[in-house]
Each structure stands twice: as C-alpha cells, then as structure tokens.
Amino acid sequence: MNNSAFFINPWAPVASKAQLTDLEHIVVSHLSDNLQRMSGICGLQRIHRSKKLLGTAFTVKVRPGDNLLIYKALTLLKPGHVLVVDGAGHPTNALVGELIMLYAQQRGCAGFVIDAAVRDTNAFYEADFPCYARAVSHRGPYKNGPGQINVPVSVGGQVISPGDVIVGDEDGIVSFPLQDTEKLIEAARKTHAHEEKIKAEIANGKLEQEWLSKVLTPFDL
C-alpha cells in the first residue's frame, strides 16, 4: 500500500500509427458491438465539434475538484497519449479549460476524457480538440492534491488501464487493451460488411432480412 499523497507510474507506450490509421475508419459502435456490448464509457458528452479521438490512455486519478496532478501529467505524457482523468464524476469544479488544452496541444496530446467537469467549452469547439466530459462548469479547480498517475481508473463505469487504446466519435468512447487491437479491427470490419449487406437488402425492398430469417428459423414462427 502506498500512503504518499502523490503516486506516479511510468507512462505506457502509444499505439502504432498504422493501428490508429485503421481505427480512424472504424466507428465506435462497431468496436462496441465486438466488445460484447457491455464495455465502453457511458455518460460523457462531447465538447468539441467532430474530430475523432484516437490514442493511448495516460491515466490520472484526482481528488474531486482538484487538478494539480493533471498539470504534472502534461509534463510527462508523450505525443499520441490521451489524458484520461478519473475525477469521480464531480460536476461542480472544472478540471480542465482552455489553458490546459493549449498546453496539451503543445505536448502532442491526442485529447481528453474527463470524468468530471470542464470549462471554456467554446475554446474546445473552435479548436476541435477532442474532449469528452461529464459536465460543464464555470467554477475552477483547486490545486492541492492528492493524486495518482498511470494507475487503473474508473471512467463512466469503465475501468481504463494505462496503455489502453481510446477511440471516440459522435456516439461515445470505447477503450481496450493494446494487444487486442488487431483482432478487434478485424472483427469490426466484419461487422461493417454485415451491416452493408443489410443496407443493400433494405434498399432492394426485401421484406425480411437474411439475418432475421436465420435467427427465427429454429422457432418455426
């Protein structure tokens, strides 16, 4: 057990450029479908416009309303990291705003996932810097600690470990271990192909899709 007010682990390697390029063309819902539909972050809102969030989790756990360790994290993260903050869902004090966003951009941060409040939302919108948050609040944070960096955190019901891959779009955010990336990409592509086939059947006016017939056949309805 570590009794220190501040606990910092080394950062995790980032996903490869090839893996992120592949994920750029896969929607979050198809990834979610292949994570048993029981995984993924829920309850956060997209603060930016439309840019896809892609990167590797750099996690921070803070006391609700306090962002001291977030500033420390920004000095440690590498280009391609996503700052993932467990702020216990606290909606009152914003943990990040425009100044932290500008610093993060300078550091090559890929985006924010904040289980707490943020502010200066127009700055995120104008910059289209990927940011998902629990709430919006004009009230600023405290800077006293304690906090932990690069430990497993809980965000919107999902446990995220340092080094997990983070993907976010207009439907929300999923995370998964880096070593699962290739098989998940392959599975999501199959899901996409399956849905394209269904869309073609709908466009052709078919009354009953092939998948539905297969599911209902054993029941002989």
Side-chain angles (χ1 to χ4, degrees):
M1 181 176 180
N2 190 296
N3 293 317
S4 172
F6 305 106
F7 183 68
I8 300 174
N9 280 323
W11 50 270
V14 298
S16 71
K17 184 177 180 180
Q19 290 172 322
L20 296 180
T21 298
D22 287 340
L23 288 167
E24 177 73 44
H25 304 289
I26 297 175
V27 297
V28 163
S29 59
H30 289 170
L31 296 170
S32 178
D33 284 350
N34 289 284
L35 291 168
Q36 292 77 50
R37 302 183 178 183
M38 296 178 66
S39 184
I41 299 166
C42 295
L44 303 190
Q45 56 182 299
R46 184 169 66 173
I47 305 300
H48 62 292
R49 287 200 309 276
S50 61
K51 187 175 180 180
K52 193 162 188 175
L53 173 61
L54 291 165
T56 305
F58 188 107
T59 64
V60 184
K61 185 176 179 63
V62 301
R63 183 171 65 179
D66 191 290
N67 78 347
L68 180 62
L69 263 287
I70 291 176
Y71 274 97
K72 179 60 178 178
L74 291 174
T75 70
L76 300 173
L77 61 75
K78 302 298 179 182
H81 276 132
V82 174
L83 184 70
V84 178
V85 179
D86 178 354
H90 185 69
T92 305
N93 294 85
L95 295 185
V96 303
E98 182 178 15
L99 296 181
I100 285 183
M101 181 197 76
L102 293 172
Y103 189 20
Q105 286 179 305
Q106 181 190 76
R107 298 288 296 153
C109 180
F112 295 159
V113 176
I114 311 291
D115 198 359
V118 302
R119 69 179 185 178
D120 303 330
T121 55
N122 189 59
F124 285 96
Y125 186 84
E126 290 296 326
D128 203 16
F129 181 77
C131 179
Y132 295 81
R134 176 70 56 185
V136 173
S137 173
H138 57 84
R139 290 170 60 174
Y142 304 101
K143 292 175 171 58
N144 303 308
Q148 299 177 338
I149 290 177
N150 284 325
V151 296
V153 296
S154 176
V155 176
Q158 176 72 30
V159 175
I160 300 177
S161 296
D164 282 354
V165 177
I166 307 292
V167 184
D169 65 12
E170 63 275 9
D171 288 334
I173 315 158
V174 292
S175 65
F176 46 88
L178 179 60
Q179 63 266 26
D180 293 346
T181 302
E182 298 302 331
K183 67 179 182 181
L184 192 53
I185 289 172
E186 182 181 357
R189 284 172 172 166
K190 290 179 180 178
T191 299
H192 172 73
H194 176 65
E195 290 197 358
E196 288 299 305
K197 184 177 180 181
I198 293 174
K199 287 195 287 186
E201 289 179 336
I202 294 171
N204 290 332
K206 189 172 182 180
L207 181 61
E208 190 172 284
Q209 280 80 56
E210 182 180 340
W211 72 267
L212 182 61
S213 300
K214 289 178 180 179
V215 172
L216 292 178
T217 295
F219 299 99
D220 195 26
L221 296 178

